Amino acid sequence: RFWIQTQFISAELTEDQLLLLLESLERKIVSQQLNLVKRKGTFLVDATQLLPHKEDQMLTIALVELSGVQLQEDGSVIPRDQPFEAMAALLVALYALNLLSG
């Protein structure tokens, strides 16, 4: 099952996103990022809410924007193109990394 998830993740995430996820793992902010991007079926991202450090906030914003959405100042997102698959892959990646690092 993990292999299937890994194949889905690598098929949907860009190399840049994978590098940002690695940096997130090193900074130990994956669980906070997961909490930010999973909001009962909607994507509301306010990086300042759970991430006090500016570098962590910027990393999270870059990661989410690479998933096909544009962040607004109020934390809401505007989808670009077809972001569902990319955001789903990001959620799966964050969830898996959170479990593995937990």
Side-chain angles (χ1 to χ4, degrees):
R1 182 176 173 180
F2 181 73
W3 180 83
I4 293 170
Q5 287 179 341
T6 305
Q7 293 302 313
F8 177 71
I9 291 168
S10 64
E12 294 294 334
L13 295 180
T14 66
E15 185 176 333
D16 289 339
Q17 286 176 298
L18 294 172
L19 291 172
L20 290 173
L21 283 170
L22 179 60
E23 187 174 344
S24 298
L25 192 58
E26 290 171 355
R27 290 178 172 269
K28 299 180 190 304
I29 60 170
V30 170
S31 63
Q32 294 97 323
Q33 289 175 324
L34 180 61
N35 287 331
L36 286 171
V37 297
K38 68 171 190 180
R39 299 281 187 203
K40 297 182 182 178
T42 63
F43 297 107
L44 182 64
V45 179
D46 184 359
T48 61
Q49 231 176 27
L50 294 176
L51 299 166
H53 301 290
K54 189 71 169 170
E55 291 110 11
D56 295 344
Q57 294 171 14
M58 298 308 292
L59 182 122
T60 302
I61 290 168
L63 187 60
V64 171
E65 286 186 343
L66 284 171
S67 294
V69 294
Q70 180 181 351
L71 292 174
Q72 301 299 297
E73 287 184 22
D74 66 357
S76 63
V77 295
I78 297 175
R80 294 185 313 232
D81 304 322
Q82 297 289 328
F84 176 76
E85 291 84 4
M87 285 301 292
L90 177 59
L91 282 171
V92 170
L94 288 169
Y95 182 76
L97 288 174
N98 190 48
L99 283 178
L100 293 172
S101 66

